[in-house]
Amino acid sequence: MNTDSVRGARLIGAAFGLSALAHAPALVRTDPINVDEAYIAIMGRMQHAGGELFRTLVDRKPPIMLWAYRMLVPASWSLWPVHAAMVVLVAVHGVVIVAIARRLGAQHSTALLAGALAILGTAMFGPPDAQASNFELWGMLPASLAVLCALRAGEARAHRFVGWMLAAGSCVGISTNTKQPYVFTLAVVVAALPRTRRLVGCADRKSTRLN
């Protein structure tokens, strides 16, 4: 196993460990932590019973969280699967933040700090929201993936640019359909493109001078 693979495995392991530690109180609970969890769980169970979203079940929120709860809340009503899924999403979000920081030119240690703060910050809301599997936490991963895809698009050759931008747009769509304000991620995606182009251009000019 090469050095990059070992470093990547350690990063993923550390992210999952830190996320589990930050949200340990949620992992030992099977009941709803706040009002949002309670009513989304009820809507998930009502879908299991034959209810149709936005027809017999009406809510002002977008559908992704409601679908997720339908899949994750079992007949026992335990919310542990939802809490565990939230820990996984937060951990992967931290890894993506590290990747974003590295692509923006940050040192490895600085990127790791950014990822750690991204994970720990999810547990710094006021109680009980700090441990609840809420809309904000579920929307963070696709939003950060959208930015990462935009940065990759800025580095990509012309024939891959469209693919990365389509991926970025899809991630914005997913995050927005988790919580509406994530639509503003689109502005970050657009802003990331020229910055990435400048970084790649500077690196290319530096390489040319060295050669």
Side-chain angles (χ1 to χ4, degrees):
M1 186 177 292
N2 59 40
T3 304
D4 288 341
S5 297
V6 172
R7 180 178 289 181
R10 288 176 177 172
L11 171 62
I12 293 170
F16 274 82
L18 191 60
S19 181
L21 180 64
H23 294 281
L27 289 176
V28 299
R29 291 186 60 170
T30 60
D31 59 316
I33 294 175
N34 67 358
V35 174
D36 281 351
E37 280 196 353
Y39 89 77
I40 301 171
I42 290 171
M43 293 185 72
R45 293 300 301 145
M46 290 176 71
Q47 289 178 78
H48 276 294
E52 295 183 44
L53 200 56
F54 303 123
R55 296 188 66 181
T56 55
L57 300 171
V58 180
D59 189 81
R60 62 186 176 84
K61 296 289 187 182
I64 288 183
M65 280 282 287
L66 307 178
W67 289 335
Y69 269 65
R70 176 185 179 181
M71 293 185 292
L72 293 171
V73 178
S76 65
W77 284 85
S78 170
L79 290 187
W80 189 88
V82 174
H83 298 158
M86 180 259 295
V87 168
V88 172
L89 291 173
V90 169
V92 178
H93 170 67
V95 174
V96 172
I97 292 299
V98 172
I100 290 172
R102 290 291 287 161
R103 291 193 174 277
L104 290 174
Q107 297 293 327
H108 183 65
S109 58
T110 305
L112 291 178
L113 178 60
L117 290 175
I119 293 172
L120 294 174
T122 61
M124 292 181 181
F125 296 104
D129 294 333
Q131 297 299 326
S133 181
N134 56 38
F135 294 92
E136 291 82 4
L137 297 187
W138 282 68
M140 287 192 314
L141 177 58
S144 60
L145 280 172
V147 177
L148 181 59
C149 288
L151 293 173
R152 291 296 302 268
E155 301 167 355
R157 296 182 183 276
H159 66 286
R160 293 185 176 179
F161 174 84
V162 174
W164 281 114
M165 287 308 296
L166 286 173
S170 299
C171 289
V172 172
I174 293 170
S175 61
T176 303
N177 277 287
T178 304
K179 188 172 177 66
Q180 297 96 322
Y182 277 113
V183 70
F184 292 107
T185 307
L186 187 59
V188 182
V189 166
V190 173
L193 287 173
R195 177 175 175 80
T196 308
R197 290 294 190 188
R198 287 197 300 271
L199 289 172
V200 172
C202 289
D204 289 342
R205 288 194 294 273
K206 183 181 293 185
S207 176
T208 301
R209 286 198 300 270
L210 290 174
N211 293 332

